[in-house]
Amino acid sequence: MIKNIFYFLLIFNCIYSQNFNEEFKLIDVKVEGNTITSENTIIFTAGLHKGELVKLTEFPRAIKKLWQLGLFQDIQILYDKEDVDGISIVIYVKENFILGELEYVGNKKIKDKKLSEELKYSKGQRIKPNAVKNISNQIEKIYKEKGYLNVSIKSNLVEQLSVEKEDDKLYRNLRFEITEG
């Protein structure tokens, strides 16, 4: 019985194993989805350059390097085409929104200026995926420190009304609806 399991595992391993050390040539590297971040920045940071020999293990590393920039909410490396010379890939990115204005609605006990000073966020910063929740928690903490324990906060990103350029589509105002209990 153990001998049969061993043979099964050996055959399974031989059939489904992949050679991660195999190198192949990148015949083309394209970037899609970027609005503000330059194509050169993305390719340079990823370390995947046209004409280079790469291993399969370099793709997760490239995604990690791009993620660490804090500029993107989604990163994918997509296979485009293959021929005898190598493969073509597309690095697809979706950029994080950019903070327009912080808006506070319903706050009477603590004024807008005081909240903005305490939060230390400013127009033009990238809004990372967890930033909205973190800012809401900070506002709640400010209220609790002042003795207002029954505060509730709803937050949402609001698209700016005046969009003049393509880059402006990334700007979002961050609105906090504060209910002071």
Side-chain angles (χ1 to χ4, degrees), residues 80-138:
D80 192 26
K81 60 185 171 188
E82 178 180 3
D83 65 22
V84 292
D85 296 330
I87 67 165
S88 296
I89 61 169
V90 175
I91 301 173
Y92 171 78
V93 295
K94 184 174 182 187
E95 295 187 65
N96 282 330
F97 293 119
I98 299 170
L99 182 60
E101 301 290 336
L102 288 173
E103 301 173 359
Y104 309 99
V105 178
N107 57 315
K108 294 174 183 74
K109 309 286 186 198
I110 301 176
K111 299 298 176 200
D112 293 2
K113 183 178 179 182
K114 177 69 175 167
L115 288 172
S116 293
E117 286 172 2
E118 293 275 338
L119 294 174
K120 297 183 173 106
Y121 281 87
S122 59
K123 187 175 184 173
Q125 283 184 282
R126 294 284 180 136
I127 304 171
K128 296 179 184 175
N130 60 349
V132 176
K133 181 67 176 160
N134 290 343
I135 297 170
S136 293
N137 290 342
Q138 285 179 294

